[in-house]
Coordinates of all heavy atoms in Angstrom, one line a residue:
M69 N 36.4 129.7 73.9 CA 36.9 129.0 75.1 C 35.8 128.1 75.6 O 34.6 128.4 75.7 CB 37.1 130.1 76.2 CG 37.4 129.6 77.5 SD 38.0 130.9 78.6 CE 36.7 130.8 79.8
K70 N 36.2 126.8 75.7 CA 35.2 125.8 76.2 C 35.0 125.9 77.7 O 36.0 126.0 78.4 CB 35.8 124.4 75.8 CG 34.8 123.3 76.1 CD 35.3 122.0 75.6 CE 34.4 120.9 76.1 NZ 33.6 120.3 75.3
T71 N 33.8 125.8 78.1 CA 33.5 125.8 79.5 C 32.9 124.5 79.9 O 32.3 123.8 79.0 CB 32.5 127.0 79.9 OG1 31.3 126.8 79.1 CG2 33.1 128.3 79.6
V72 N 32.9 124.2 81.1 CA 32.3 122.9 81.6 C 30.8 123.1 81.7 O 30.3 124.0 82.3 CB 32.9 122.5 83.0 CG1 32.3 121.3 83.5 CG2 34.4 122.3 82.8
S73 N 30.0 122.2 81.1 CA 28.6 122.3 81.2 C 28.1 121.9 82.6 O 28.7 121.0 83.3 CB 28.0 121.3 80.2 OG 26.6 121.2 80.5
P74 N 27.2 122.7 83.2 CA 26.6 122.3 84.5 C 25.7 121.1 84.4 O 25.3 120.6 85.4 CB 25.8 123.6 84.9 CG 25.4 124.2 83.6 CD 26.5 123.9 82.6
F75 N 25.4 120.6 83.2 CA 24.5 119.5 83.0 C 25.3 118.2 83.0 O 26.3 118.2 82.3 CB 23.6 119.7 81.8 CG 22.7 120.8 81.9 CD1 23.0 122.0 81.2 CD2 21.5 120.7 82.6 CE1 22.1 123.1 81.3 CE2 20.7 121.8 82.7 CZ 21.0 123.0 82.1
L76 N 24.8 117.2 83.6 CA 25.4 115.9 83.5 C 24.7 115.1 82.4 O 23.5 115.1 82.2 CB 25.2 115.1 84.8 CG 25.8 115.8 86.1 CD1 25.5 115.0 87.3 CD2 27.3 115.9 85.9
E77 N 25.5 114.4 81.6 CA 25.0 113.6 80.5 C 24.4 112.3 81.1 O 25.0 111.7 82.1 CB 26.0 113.3 79.5 CG 26.4 114.6 78.7 CD 27.4 114.2 77.6 OE1 27.4 113.1 77.1 OE2 28.1 115.1 77.2
I78 N 23.4 111.8 80.5 CA 22.8 110.5 80.9 C 23.7 109.4 80.3 O 24.0 109.4 79.1 CB 21.4 110.3 80.4 CG1 20.5 111.3 81.2 CG2 20.9 108.9 80.6 CD1 19.0 111.3 80.7
D79 N 24.2 108.5 81.2 CA 25.1 107.5 80.8 C 24.3 106.4 80.0 O 23.5 105.7 80.6 CB 25.8 106.8 82.0 CG 26.7 105.7 81.7 OD1 26.9 105.4 80.5 OD2 27.3 105.1 82.6
P80 N 24.6 106.2 78.7 CA 23.9 105.2 78.0 C 24.1 103.8 78.4 O 23.4 102.9 78.1 CB 24.4 105.4 76.5 CG 25.7 106.1 76.6 CD 25.6 106.9 77.9
Q81 N 25.2 103.6 79.2 CA 25.5 102.2 79.7 C 24.9 101.9 81.1 O 25.0 100.8 81.6 CB 27.1 102.1 79.9 CG 27.8 102.3 78.6 CD 27.4 101.4 77.4 OE1 27.1 100.3 77.6 NE2 27.3 102.0 76.2
S82 N 24.1 102.9 81.6 CA 23.5 102.6 83.0 C 22.4 101.6 82.9 O 21.9 101.4 81.8 CB 23.0 104.0 83.5 OG 22.0 104.5 82.7
D83 N 22.0 101.1 84.0 CA 20.9 100.1 84.0 C 19.6 100.8 83.6 O 19.3 102.0 84.0 CB 20.7 99.6 85.4 CG 21.8 98.7 85.9 OD1 22.5 98.2 85.0 OD2 22.0 98.5 87.1
H84 N 18.8 100.2 82.8 CA 17.6 100.7 82.3 C 16.4 99.9 82.9 O 16.6 98.7 83.1 CB 17.5 100.7 80.7 CG 18.3 101.8 80.1 ND1 19.6 102.1 80.3 CD2 17.9 102.8 79.3 CE1 20.0 103.1 79.7 NE2 19.0 103.6 79.0
V85 N 15.3 100.6 83.0 CA 14.1 99.9 83.5 C 12.9 100.3 82.6 O 13.0 101.3 81.9 CB 13.8 100.3 85.0 CG1 14.8 99.8 85.9 CG2 13.6 101.8 85.1
L86 N 11.9 99.4 82.6 CA 10.8 99.7 81.8 C 9.8 100.6 82.5 O 9.4 100.4 83.7 CB 10.1 98.3 81.5 CG 9.2 98.3 80.3 CD1 9.9 98.7 79.0 CD2 8.5 97.0 80.2
V87 N 9.3 101.6 81.8 CA 8.3 102.5 82.3 C 7.3 102.6 81.2 O 7.6 102.3 80.0 CB 8.8 103.9 82.8 CG1 9.8 103.7 83.9 CG2 9.3 104.7 81.7
R88 N 6.1 103.2 81.5 CA 5.2 103.4 80.4 C 4.7 104.8 80.4 O 4.4 105.3 81.5 CB 4.0 102.4 80.7 CG 3.0 102.4 79.6 CD 1.9 101.4 79.9 NE 2.5 100.0 79.8 CZ 2.1 99.0 79.2 NH1 1.0 99.1 78.5 NH2 2.7 97.9 79.2
F89 N 4.6 105.5 79.3 CA 4.1 106.8 79.1 C 3.0 106.8 78.1 O 3.2 106.4 76.9 CB 5.2 107.8 78.7 CG 4.7 109.2 78.6 CD1 4.8 110.1 79.7 CD2 4.2 109.7 77.4 CE1 4.3 111.3 79.6 CE2 3.7 111.0 77.4 CZ 3.8 111.9 78.5
E90 N 1.8 107.1 78.6 CA 0.6 107.1 77.7 C 0.5 105.8 77.0 O 0.2 105.8 75.7 CB 0.7 108.3 76.7 CG 0.4 109.6 77.3 CD -1.0 109.8 77.8 OE1 -1.9 109.5 77.0 OE2 -1.2 110.3 78.9
G91 N 0.7 104.7 77.6 CA 0.6 103.4 77.1 C 1.7 102.9 76.2 O 1.8 101.7 75.8
Q92 N 2.8 103.7 76.1 CA 3.9 103.4 75.3 C 5.1 102.9 76.2 O 5.4 103.6 77.2 CB 4.4 104.5 74.5 CG 5.7 104.2 73.7 CD 6.2 105.5 72.9 OE1 5.7 106.6 73.0 NE2 7.3 105.3 72.2
D93 N 5.6 101.7 76.0 CA 6.7 101.2 76.8 C 8.0 101.9 76.4 O 8.3 102.1 75.3 CB 6.9 99.7 76.5 CG 5.8 98.8 77.2 OD1 5.2 99.3 78.2 OD2 5.6 97.7 76.7
L94 N 8.7 102.3 77.5 CA 10.0 103.0 77.3 C 11.0 102.4 78.2 O 10.7 102.0 79.3 CB 9.8 104.5 77.6 CG 8.8 105.3 76.9 CD1 8.7 106.7 77.5 CD2 9.3 105.5 75.5
S95 N 12.2 102.3 77.7 CA 13.3 101.8 78.5 C 14.1 103.1 79.0 O 14.8 103.7 78.1 CB 14.2 100.8 77.7 OG 15.3 100.4 78.5
L96 N 14.1 103.4 80.3 CA 14.7 104.6 80.8 C 15.8 104.3 81.8 O 15.7 103.3 82.5 CB 13.7 105.5 81.4 CG 12.5 106.0 80.5 CD1 11.7 107.0 81.4 CD2 13.0 106.7 79.2
P97 N 16.9 105.1 81.9 CA 17.9 104.8 82.8 C 17.5 105.0 84.2 O 17.1 106.1 84.7 CB 19.0 105.9 82.4 CG 18.3 107.0 81.7 CD 17.0 106.4 81.1
L98 N 17.7 103.9 85.0 CA 17.3 103.9 86.4 C 18.0 105.0 87.2 O 19.2 105.2 87.1 CB 17.7 102.5 87.0 CG 17.4 102.3 88.5 CD1 15.9 102.3 88.7 CD2 17.9 101.0 88.9
G99 N 17.2 105.7 88.0 CA 17.8 106.7 88.9 C 18.1 108.1 88.3 O 18.4 109.0 89.0
E100 N 17.9 108.2 86.9 CA 18.1 109.5 86.3 C 16.9 110.4 86.5 O 15.8 109.9 86.8 CB 18.4 109.3 84.8 CG 19.7 108.6 84.5 CD 21.0 109.5 84.8 OE1 20.8 110.6 85.1 OE2 22.1 108.9 84.8
N101 N 17.1 111.7 86.2 CA 16.0 112.6 86.3 C 14.9 112.2 85.3 O 15.1 112.0 84.1 CB 16.5 114.0 86.0 CG 15.4 115.0 86.0 OD1 14.6 115.2 85.0 ND2 15.2 115.7 87.2
L102 N 13.6 112.1 85.8 CA 12.5 111.6 85.0 C 12.3 112.5 83.8 O 12.1 112.0 82.6 CB 11.3 111.4 85.8 CG 10.1 110.9 85.0 CD1 10.3 109.5 84.4 CD2 8.9 110.8 85.9
A103 N 12.2 113.8 84.0 CA 11.9 114.7 82.9 C 13.0 114.6 81.8 O 12.7 114.5 80.6 CB 11.8 116.1 83.3
G104 N 14.3 114.6 82.2 CA 15.4 114.5 81.3 C 15.4 113.2 80.5 O 15.6 113.1 79.3
A105 N 15.1 112.1 81.3 CA 15.1 110.8 80.6 C 13.9 110.7 79.6 O 14.1 110.1 78.5 CB 14.9 109.7 81.7
L106 N 12.8 111.2 79.9 CA 11.6 111.2 79.0 C 12.0 112.0 77.7 O 11.6 111.7 76.6 CB 10.4 111.7 79.7 CG 9.7 110.8 80.7 CD1 8.6 111.6 81.4 CD2 9.2 109.6 80.0
L107 N 12.6 113.2 77.9 CA 13.0 114.0 76.8 C 14.0 113.3 75.9 O 13.8 113.3 74.7 CB 13.6 115.3 77.2 CG 12.7 116.4 77.8 CD1 13.5 117.5 78.4 CD2 11.7 116.9 76.7
V108 N 15.0 112.6 76.5 CA 16.0 111.8 75.7 C 15.3 110.7 74.9 O 15.6 110.4 73.8 CB 17.1 111.3 76.6 CG1 17.9 110.3 75.9 CG2 17.9 112.5 77.2
A109 N 14.2 110.2 75.5 CA 13.4 109.1 74.9 C 12.5 109.6 73.8 O 11.9 108.8 73.1 CB 12.6 108.3 75.9
G110 N 12.4 110.9 73.6 CA 11.6 111.5 72.6 C 10.2 111.9 73.0 O 9.4 112.2 72.1
V111 N 9.9 111.8 74.2 CA 8.6 112.2 74.7 C 8.4 113.7 74.6 O 9.2 114.4 75.2 CB 8.3 111.6 76.1 CG1 7.0 112.2 76.7 CG2 8.3 110.1 76.2
M112 N 7.4 114.1 74.0 CA 7.0 115.5 73.9 C 5.6 115.6 73.2 O 5.5 115.0 72.1 CB 8.0 116.3 73.2 CG 7.9 117.8 73.4 SD 8.1 118.3 75.1 CE 8.0 120.0 75.0
P113 N 4.6 116.3 73.7 CA 4.6 117.1 75.0 C 4.4 116.1 76.2 O 4.0 115.0 76.0 CB 3.5 118.0 74.8 CG 2.5 117.2 73.9 CD 3.4 116.4 73.0
F114 N 4.5 116.7 77.4 CA 4.3 116.0 78.6 C 2.8 116.2 79.0 O 2.2 115.4 79.7 CB 5.1 116.5 79.7 CG 6.5 116.0 79.7 CD1 7.2 115.7 78.5 CD2 7.2 115.8 80.9 CE1 8.5 115.2 78.5 CE2 8.5 115.3 80.9 CZ 9.2 115.1 79.7
R115 N 2.2 117.3 78.6 CA 0.8 117.6 79.0 C 0.3 118.7 78.0 O 1.0 119.2 77.2 CB 0.8 118.2 80.4 CG 1.4 119.5 80.6 CD 1.3 120.0 82.0 NE 1.9 121.4 82.2 CZ 1.2 122.5 82.2 NH1 -0.2 122.4 82.1 NH2 1.7 123.7 82.3
H116 N -1.0 119.0 78.2 CA -1.6 120.1 77.5 C -2.2 121.0 78.5 O -2.7 120.6 79.6 CB -2.7 119.6 76.5 CG -2.1 118.8 75.4 ND1 -1.9 117.4 75.5 CD2 -1.6 119.2 74.2 CE1 -1.4 117.0 74.3 NE2 -1.2 118.1 73.6
T117 N -2.2 122.3 78.3 CA -2.7 123.3 79.3 C -4.2 123.1 79.3 O -4.9 122.8 78.3 CB -2.4 124.7 78.8 OG1 -3.0 125.0 77.5 CG2 -0.9 125.0 78.8
P118 N -4.8 123.3 80.6 CA -6.2 123.1 80.8 C -7.1 124.1 80.1 O -8.2 123.8 79.7 CB -6.4 123.2 82.3 CG -5.2 123.8 82.8 CD -4.1 123.6 81.8
V119 N -6.6 125.3 79.8 CA -7.5 126.3 79.2 C -7.4 126.3 77.7 O -8.4 126.1 77.0 CB -7.1 127.7 79.7 CG1 -7.9 128.8 79.0 CG2 -7.3 127.8 81.2
S120 N -6.2 126.4 77.1 CA -6.1 126.4 75.6 C -5.8 125.1 75.0 O -5.9 124.9 73.8 CB -5.0 127.5 75.2 OG -3.7 127.0 75.5
G121 N -5.3 124.1 75.8 CA -4.9 122.9 75.3 C -3.5 122.9 74.6 O -3.2 122.0 73.9
A122 N -2.8 124.0 74.8 CA -1.4 124.1 74.2 C -0.5 123.0 74.8 O -0.6 122.7 76.0 CB -0.9 125.5 74.5
P123 N 0.4 122.5 73.9 CA 1.3 121.4 74.4 C 2.4 122.1 75.3 O 2.8 123.2 75.1 CB 1.9 120.9 73.1 CG 1.8 122.0 72.1 CD 0.5 122.7 72.5
R124 N 2.8 121.3 76.3 CA 3.8 121.8 77.2 C 4.8 120.7 77.5 O 4.5 119.5 77.5 CB 3.2 122.3 78.6 CG 2.5 123.5 78.5 CD 3.4 124.7 78.2 NE 2.7 126.0 78.3 CZ 2.3 126.6 77.2 NH1 2.4 126.1 76.0 NH2 1.6 127.8 77.3
G125 N 6.1 121.1 77.8 CA 7.1 120.1 78.3 C 8.1 120.8 79.2 O 7.9 122.0 79.4
P126 N 9.0 120.1 79.7 CA 10.0 120.7 80.6 C 10.6 122.0 80.1 O 11.0 122.0 78.9 CB 11.0 119.6 80.8 CG 10.3 118.3 80.5 CD 9.3 118.7 79.4
F127 N 10.7 122.9 81.0 CA 11.4 124.2 80.6 C 12.5 124.6 81.6 O 13.6 124.7 81.2 CB 10.3 125.3 80.6 CG 10.9 126.7 80.2 CD1 11.3 126.9 78.9 CD2 11.0 127.6 81.2 CE1 11.8 128.2 78.6 CE2 11.5 128.9 80.8 CZ 11.9 129.1 79.6
C128 N 12.1 124.6 82.9 CA 13.1 125.1 83.8 C 14.0 124.0 84.4 O 15.2 124.2 84.8 CB 12.5 125.8 85.0 SG 11.6 124.8 86.1
M129 N 13.5 122.8 84.5 CA 14.2 121.6 85.0 C 14.6 121.8 86.5 O 15.5 121.2 87.0 CB 15.4 121.2 84.2 CG 15.1 120.8 82.8 SD 14.0 119.3 82.7 CE 15.2 118.0 83.1
M130 N 13.9 122.7 87.2 CA 14.2 122.9 88.6 C 13.0 123.1 89.5 O 13.1 123.7 90.6 CB 15.2 124.1 88.8 CG 14.7 125.4 88.3 SD 16.0 126.7 88.5 CE 15.0 128.1 88.3
G131 N 11.8 122.7 89.0 CA 10.6 122.7 89.9 C 9.9 124.1 89.9 O 9.0 124.3 90.7
A132 N 10.2 125.0 89.0 CA 9.6 126.3 89.1 C 8.5 126.6 88.1 O 7.5 127.3 88.4 CB 10.7 127.4 88.9
C133 N 8.5 126.0 86.9 CA 7.6 126.4 85.8 C 6.3 125.5 85.8 O 5.3 125.9 85.2 CB 8.3 126.4 84.5 SG 8.6 124.7 83.8
F134 N 6.4 124.3 86.3 CA 5.3 123.3 86.3 C 4.9 122.9 84.9 O 3.8 122.4 84.6 CB 4.1 123.8 87.0 CG 4.3 123.9 88.5 CD1 5.1 124.9 89.1 CD2 3.7 122.9 89.3 CE1 5.3 124.9 90.5 CE2 3.9 123.0 90.7 CZ 4.7 124.0 91.3
D135 N 5.7 123.1 83.9 CA 5.4 122.7 82.5 C 5.7 121.2 82.3 O 5.3 120.7 81.3 CB 6.2 123.5 81.5 CG 5.5 124.9 81.2 OD1 4.4 125.0 81.5 OD2 6.2 125.8 80.6
C136 N 6.3 120.6 83.2 CA 6.6 119.2 83.1 C 5.6 118.3 83.8 O 5.9 117.1 84.0 CB 8.0 118.9 83.6 SG 8.1 119.2 85.4
L137 N 4.5 118.8 84.2 CA 3.5 118.0 84.9 C 3.1 116.7 84.2 O 2.8 116.7 83.0 CB 2.3 118.8 85.3 CG 2.4 120.0 86.2 CD1 1.1 120.7 86.4 CD2 3.0 119.5 87.6
V138 N 3.1 115.6 85.0 CA 2.6 114.4 84.5 C 1.8 113.7 85.6 O 1.8 114.2 86.7 CB 3.8 113.4 84.1 CG1 4.5 113.9 82.9 CG2 4.7 113.2 85.2
Q139 N 1.1 112.7 85.3 CA 0.3 112.0 86.3 C 0.9 110.6 86.5 O 1.1 109.9 85.5 CB -1.1 111.9 85.8 CG -2.1 111.6 87.0 CD -3.5 112.0 86.6 OE1 -3.9 111.8 85.5 NE2 -4.2 112.6 87.6
I140 N 1.2 110.3 87.8 CA 1.7 109.0 88.2 C 0.9 108.5 89.3 O 0.8 109.2 90.4 CB 3.2 109.1 88.6 CG1 4.0 109.6 87.4 CG2 3.7 107.7 89.0 CD1 5.5 109.9 87.8
D141 N 0.3 107.3 89.2 CA -0.6 106.7 90.2 C -1.6 107.7 90.7 O -1.9 107.8 91.9 CB 0.3 106.3 91.4 CG 1.3 105.2 91.1 OD1 0.9 104.4 90.2 OD2 2.3 105.0 91.7
G142 N -2.2 108.4 89.8 CA -3.3 109.3 90.1 C -2.9 110.6 90.7 O -3.8 111.5 91.0
M143 N -1.6 110.8 90.9 CA -1.1 112.1 91.4 C -0.5 113.0 90.3 O 0.3 112.4 89.5 CB -0.1 111.9 92.5 CG -0.6 111.0 93.7 SD -1.4 112.1 94.9 CE 0.0 113.1 95.4
T144 N -0.8 114.2 90.2 CA -0.1 115.1 89.3 C 1.2 115.6 89.9 O 1.1 116.2 91.0 CB -1.0 116.3 88.9 OG1 -2.2 115.8 88.3 CG2 -0.3 117.2 87.9
V145 N 2.3 115.3 89.3 CA 3.6 115.6 89.9 C 4.5 116.2 88.8 O 4.2 116.2 87.6 CB 4.3 114.3 90.4 CG1 3.5 113.7 91.5 CG2 4.4 113.3 89.2
Q146 N 5.6 116.9 89.3 CA 6.6 117.5 88.4 C 7.6 116.5 88.0 O 8.4 116.0 88.9 CB 7.3 118.7 89.1 CG 6.3 119.8 89.4 CD 6.9 120.7 90.4 OE1 7.0 120.4 91.6 NE2 7.3 121.9 90.0
A147 N 7.7 116.1 86.7 CA 8.6 115.1 86.3 C 10.1 115.5 86.6 O 10.9 114.6 86.8 CB 8.4 114.8 84.8
C148 N 10.4 116.8 86.6 CA 11.8 117.2 86.8 C 12.2 117.0 88.3 O 13.4 117.2 88.5 CB 12.0 118.6 86.3 SG 11.2 119.9 87.4
M149 N 11.3 116.7 89.1 CA 11.6 116.6 90.6 C 11.7 115.1 90.9 O 11.8 114.8 92.1 CB 10.6 117.3 91.4 CG 10.5 118.8 91.2 SD 12.0 119.6 92.0 CE 13.0 119.9 90.5
L150 N 11.5 114.2 90.0 CA 11.5 112.8 90.3 C 12.7 112.1 89.6 O 13.2 112.5 88.6 CB 10.2 112.2 89.8 CG 8.9 112.7 90.4 CD1 7.7 112.1 89.7 CD2 8.9 112.4 91.9
Q151 N 12.9 110.9 90.1 CA 13.9 110.0 89.4 C 13.2 108.8 88.8 O 12.1 108.5 89.1 CB 14.9 109.4 90.5 CG 15.8 110.4 91.1 CD 16.7 109.8 92.1 OE1 16.3 109.0 92.9 NE2 18.0 110.2 92.1
V152 N 13.8 108.3 87.8 CA 13.3 107.1 87.1 C 13.3 105.9 88.0 O 14.4 105.6 88.6 CB 14.1 106.8 85.8 CG1 13.6 105.5 85.2 CG2 14.0 107.9 84.8
T153 N 12.2 105.3 88.2 CA 12.1 104.0 89.0 C 11.4 103.0 88.1 O 10.6 103.4 87.2 CB 11.4 104.2 90.3 OG1 10.1 104.7 90.1 CG2 12.2 105.1 91.2
K154 N 11.6 101.8 88.5 CA 11.0 100.6 87.7 C 9.5 100.7 87.7 O 8.9 100.8 88.8 CB 11.5 99.3 88.2 CG 11.1 98.1 87.5 CD 11.7 96.8 88.1 CE 11.2 95.6 87.3 NZ 11.7 94.4 88.0
G155 N 8.9 100.5 86.5 CA 7.5 100.3 86.5 C 6.6 101.5 86.6 O 5.4 101.3 86.8
L156 N 7.1 102.6 86.4 CA 6.3 103.8 86.5 C 5.2 103.8 85.4 O 5.5 103.5 84.2 CB 7.1 105.1 86.3 CG 8.1 105.5 87.4 CD1 8.9 106.7 87.0 CD2 7.3 105.8 88.7
E157 N 4.0 104.1 85.7 CA 2.9 104.2 84.8 C 2.6 105.7 84.7 O 1.9 106.3 85.6 CB 1.6 103.5 85.3 CG 1.9 102.0 85.3 CD 1.6 101.4 83.9 OE1 1.1 102.0 83.0 OE2 2.1 100.2 83.7
I158 N 3.0 106.4 83.6 CA 2.9 107.8 83.5 C 1.9 108.2 82.4 O 1.9 107.6 81.4 CB 4.3 108.4 83.1 CG1 5.4 107.9 84.0 CG2 4.2 109.9 83.1 CD1 6.8 108.1 83.5
T159 N 1.0 109.1 82.8 CA 0.1 109.6 81.8 C 0.1 111.2 81.8 O 0.6 111.7 82.7 CB -1.4 109.1 82.0 OG1 -1.7 109.6 83.3 CG2 -1.5 107.6 82.0
M160 N -0.4 111.7 80.8 CA -0.6 113.2 80.8 C -1.7 113.5 81.8 O -2.7 112.7 82.0 CB -1.0 113.7 79.4 CG 0.0 113.6 78.4 SD -0.5 114.4 76.9 CE 0.8 114.0 75.8
P161 N -1.6 114.6 82.5 CA -2.7 115.0 83.4 C -4.0 115.1 82.6 O -4.0 115.3 81.4 CB -2.2 116.4 83.9 CG -0.8 116.4 83.8 CD -0.5 115.6 82.6
A162 N -5.1 115.0 83.4 CA -6.4 115.0 82.7 C -6.6 116.2 81.8 O -6.2 117.3 82.1 CB -7.5 115.1 83.8
A163 N -7.1 115.9 80.6 CA -7.3 116.9 79.6 C -8.4 117.8 79.9 O -9.2 117.6 80.8 CB -7.6 116.2 78.2
R164 N -8.4 118.9 79.2 CA -9.4 120.0 79.4 C -10.9 119.4 79.3 O -11.2 118.6 78.4 CB -9.3 121.0 78.3 CG -10.2 122.1 78.3 CD -9.9 123.0 77.1 NE -11.0 123.9 77.0 CZ -11.1 124.8 75.9 NH1 -10.3 124.7 75.0 NH2 -12.1 125.6 75.9
G165 N -11.6 119.7 80.4 CA -13.0 119.3 80.3 C -13.2 118.0 80.9 O -14.4 117.5 81.1
A166 N -12.2 117.2 81.1 CA -12.3 115.8 81.6 C -13.0 115.8 83.0 O -13.7 114.9 83.3 CB -11.0 115.1 81.6
A167 N -12.7 116.8 83.8 CA -13.3 116.8 85.2 C -14.7 117.1 85.1 O -15.5 116.9 86.0 CB -12.5 117.9 86.0
D168 N -15.2 117.7 84.0 CA -16.6 118.1 83.8 C -17.5 116.8 83.5 O -18.7 116.9 83.6 CB -16.8 119.1 82.8 CG -16.0 120.4 83.1 OD1 -15.8 120.6 84.3 OD2 -15.6 121.1 82.2
A169 N -16.8 115.8 83.0 CA -17.6 114.6 82.5 C -18.2 113.9 83.6 O -17.8 113.9 84.8 CB -16.7 113.7 81.7
Ligands
LIG6 S1 10.5 121.6 84.1 FE1 9.8 123.4 85.2 S2 8.9 122.5 87.0 FE2 9.7 120.8 85.9

């Protein structure tokens, strides 16, 4: 029995804008969920854990796990809680030991 998915598909025909992740230009759908759009674009991981350096990416997609953390304009934010907007400059949060330098 087929059920209706609670997830909405990203419309490939929607307007796309240029954003940058770790210096790589990406064309993402304007207004879509940032974490979802980055995943569709093939971005993984989003960050590394500060203690072990293990790679992390979106897990819950609802703001609970913090595995989707990225840095935008110097602020560490949850990508799953944001929408794609034009010109985002996204980086991974500071790596382990970077704050010690
Ligand atoms: S994916 Fe869990 S907080 Fe964003």
Side-chain angles (χ1 to χ4, degrees):
M69 177 170 116
K70 183 174 171 107
T71 59
V72 177
S73 171
F75 295 101
L76 300 175
E77 292 187 23
I78 293 177
D79 179 3
Q81 303 302 320
S82 64
D83 291 338
H84 281 57
V85 293
L86 198 63
V87 305
R88 188 175 294 230
F89 183 89
E90 288 289 314
Q92 178 185 3
D93 287 336
L94 300 171
S95 178
L96 300 184
L98 180 65
E100 293 289 351
N101 179 276
L102 179 58
L106 288 171
L107 286 172
V108 169
V111 171
M112 193 63 177
F114 282 33
R115 68 179 184 99
H116 293 90
T117 60
V119 175
S120 70
R124 290 288 186 266
F127 179 71
C128 72
M129 297 298 285
M130 61 181 197
C133 73
F134 289 75
D135 278 343
C136 65
L137 292 178
V138 293
Q139 200 160 40
I140 300 174
D141 295 332
M143 299 276 296
T144 301
V145 294
Q146 294 163 288
C148 71
M149 296 287 102
L150 298 174
Q151 293 180 318
V152 174
T153 57
K154 184 179 179 184
L156 290 174
E157 292 279 344
I158 308 163
T159 60
M160 291 185 185
R164 177 181 171 189
D168 301 332

